[in-house]
Amino acid sequence: MATLLPHVNSVKEKALQIFAEKFGEQAIVCVYAPGRVNLIGEHTDYNDGFVLPMALPMVTVIVGKSHNDKKTRIFSLSNVVGDINEFEFKAGNRADIKPGEPKWANYIKGCIANFICDVPAFNAVIVSTVPAGAGLSSSAALEIATYTFLETLSGKKPEKPELKALACQKAEHDFAGVPCGIMDQFISTMGKEGYALLLDCRDLITKQIPMLHLDNYVFLITNSNTPHKLSSSAYCERRDCCYEAAKILGKKSLRDANMNDILVLISQNVSESIVKKARHVVTEIQRTLNAAVALQKSDFQQFGRLMNESHDSLRDDYEVSSKELDSLVSAAREVDGVLGSRLTGAGFGGCTVTLLRKDAVDKTIQHMKAKYSGTPTFYIATPSGGAREIS
Ligand code: NG1
Ligand code: MG
């Protein structure tokens, strides 16, 4: 059976109750932001390419209230937080806020530092159902939830939602030290119920793709429960390879490269590793565009094929899969009714996403469990809405 996710309202009730116990009064601001699953378009965001994620029913909820003394106090209940789940710091000039320990608080501090104005001190409780380190964007959910909380608290919003996503990406770069692309913050902000989001990471133009006639099909997320280590050098190394390839080709980014350019790299005796990384990016950008067309046409067979090709390219060319992810993907593909399966997120661990017929869900889960050496968790991914205030 797939794990049942609590409804956002029950997460909110829990957060409100903890707030009342902790701070002896009622919270008045309640917001949430979702995690996401990327359906296709992996390691393309920082290459100015296309991505096709959807927002999940997994959410980070923040409830709180501003007050007149000088200290902001945050209490967090999520699996990201180790032993220290309470944190306080001096509110005031946002330019004075610096990253430090505990690490989880840096996402929050980074958002306050990158907000459009100074905010008063506040008390807050954070409760999240987005698993951490699983490639489902727990970090973006925390950032976007924080930013949304600050918007509601201050009554001020940036002119465009893009600026919110960019401010949170900057928080992740500067405060968490993760040089991530823009996909996660965008989908957590702009997710729409029933839609996937095609995002052009070059000019930040978005297109909502309706997931029509999905009735008989469903996306299944499988958490390998082998956490990925993102800030680990592997992500940065891949990024540097791509930038190097673009530089050799005299292009601004690999978005401007095509298969001929891959041949150019080969003819110039560029290292095989760089050629393969570039080839993944070039082919993945095209696959993502093709997948968006297939989804729009409800051509799920084609969508599934493209998911399979994406995984194979991530495994063989980009070299970011793991034996756990490969084994989950192979097991899924063995079941009749499965149209496609791939790793999702940065790789090295985390989750897979599988497109399959609804009536094949139970036997697919059973088969994947039987074939997998570890203990996986399963979630049905329904396309959900982006961050908002909850009244
Ligand atoms: P995950 O692994 O889901 O956190 C990371 C990046 C994305 C993107 C993907 C690969 C972070 C926070 N996010 O996602 O921007 O580059 O890898 O497609 O690093
Ligand atoms: Mg993350």
Side-chain angles (χ1 to χ4, degrees):
M1 271 278 284
T3 305
L4 285 176
L5 289 165
H7 189 270
V8 60
N9 280 334
S10 69
V11 186
K12 174 187 133 186
E13 288 311 321
K14 183 173 173 191
L16 286 173
Q17 190 196 329
I18 297 166
F19 188 94
E21 283 163 17
K22 247 1 248 170
F23 299 111
E25 58 175 344
Q26 299 300 319
I28 50 175
V29 175
C30 298
V31 302
Y32 82 84
R36 62 99 179 102
V37 63
N38 190 22
L39 301 178
I40 195 162
E42 219 64 82
H43 291 279
T44 49
D45 61 349
Y46 52 82
N47 288 300
D48 287 346
F50 289 89
V51 292
L52 187 64
M54 72 183 201
L56 291 173
M58 295 167 178
V59 292
T60 295
V61 168
I62 307 186
V63 304
K65 185 171 184 287
S66 59
H67 53 69
N68 290 328
D69 71 52
K70 290 275 175 285
K71 271 193 179 147
T72 285
R73 298 181 202 89
I74 298 161
F75 185 82
S76 176
L77 242 114
S78 99
N79 51 356
V80 199
V81 179
D83 293 335
I84 314 164
N85 55 6
E86 266 183 278
F87 179 65
E88 56 174 53
F89 66 100
K90 204 172 136 280
N93 190 341
R94 66 194 190 284
D96 295 337
I97 302 172
K98 298 283 173 289
E101 293 294 331
K103 293 221 161 39
W104 63 270
N106 288 333
Y107 296 95
I108 300 157
K109 287 198 229 166
C111 291
I112 300 174
N114 284 289
F115 193 59
I116 35 177
C117 59
D118 289 334
V119 290
F122 60 85
N123 292 335
V125 167
I126 303 176
V127 179
S128 184
T129 60
V130 191
L136 301 178
S137 269
S138 60
S139 45
L142 177 55
E143 290 149 13
I144 299 293
T146 302
Y147 202 97
T148 308
F149 179 83
L150 300 176
E151 287 178 337
T152 313
L153 198 72
S154 67
K156 297 212 167 66
K157 273 185 195 292
E159 276 164 38
K160 300 183 215 152
E162 292 90 299
L163 298 174
K164 174 173 176 175
L166 287 164
C168 290
Q169 182 196 29
K170 191 164 174 359
E172 179 132 4
H173 287 185
D174 300 349
F175 278 69
V178 180
C180 61
I182 190 62
M183 156 166 66
D184 308 351
Q185 292 79 10
F186 246 81
I187 181 64
S188 187
T189 308
M190 312 236 190
K192 189 170 164 185
E193 225 171 290
Y195 291 77
L197 183 79
L198 179 67
L199 167 65
D200 183 339
C201 300
R202 177 156 65 186
D203 47 23
L204 303 184
I205 289 175
T206 56
K207 187 176 176 196
Q208 299 282 358
I209 312 280
M211 296 172 78
L212 297 172
H213 313 296
L214 198 58
D215 329 355
N216 298 325
Y217 297 94
V218 73
F219 286 98
L220 176 73
I221 296 174
T222 305
N223 190 346
S224 66
N225 290 314
T226 50
H228 70 176
K229 293 177 212 77
L230 237 210
S231 26
S232 78
S233 49
Y235 186 84
C236 304
E237 265 168 40
R238 300 298 182 286
R239 224 183 128 111
D240 291 346
C241 272
C242 294
Y243 292 171
E244 175 70 17
K247 202 171 136 205
I248 296 169
L249 292 167
K251 312 231 178 235
K252 195 167 158 278
S253 67
L254 286 180
R255 165 66 178 276
D256 300 318
N258 56 34
M259 284 312 277
N260 273 334
D261 294 309
I262 302 302
L263 297 176
V264 170
L265 291 175
I266 294 171
S267 73
Q268 293 189 6
N269 291 322
V270 171
S271 82
E272 196 196 346
S273 168
I274 292 192
V275 174
K276 284 164 71 180
K277 304 292 176 298
R279 184 166 63 191
H280 165 75
V281 174
V282 167
T283 56
E284 183 78 355
I285 289 174
Q286 191 55 51
R287 274 190 292 274
T288 307
L289 287 169
N290 296 348
V293 172
L295 192 58
Q296 191 115 42
K297 290 199 290 200
S298 305
D299 185 349
F300 302 119
Q301 303 285 340
Q302 170 68 354
F303 196 92
R305 273 194 293 274
L306 292 163
M307 289 173 76
N308 286 340
E309 287 174 20
S310 168
H311 181 82
D312 297 350
S313 173
L314 288 160
R315 179 193 59 210
D316 302 335
D317 273 357
Y318 218 62
E319 300 178 288
V320 291
S321 191
S322 65
K323 67 174 191 328
E324 290 86 1
L325 294 171
D326 287 342
S327 108
L328 288 171
V329 162
S330 314
R333 289 180 188 173
E334 282 162 11
V335 184
D336 184 37
V338 169
L339 302 186
S341 189
R342 58 181 291 275
L343 72 83
T344 183
F348 317 108
C351 292
T352 67
V353 59
T354 302
L355 174 60
L356 72 173
R357 274 204 327 262
K358 268 188 186 155
D359 61 14
V361 168
D362 287 345
K363 67 175 179 200
T364 305
I365 290 180
Q366 270 170 28
H367 188 69
M368 289 172 86
K369 273 188 178 164
K371 284 277 178 125
Y372 186 56
S373 56
T375 313
T377 3
F378 298 89
Y379 307 93
I380 299 293
T382 24
S384 305
R388 60 180 179 85
E389 192 184 348
I390 340 168
S391 48

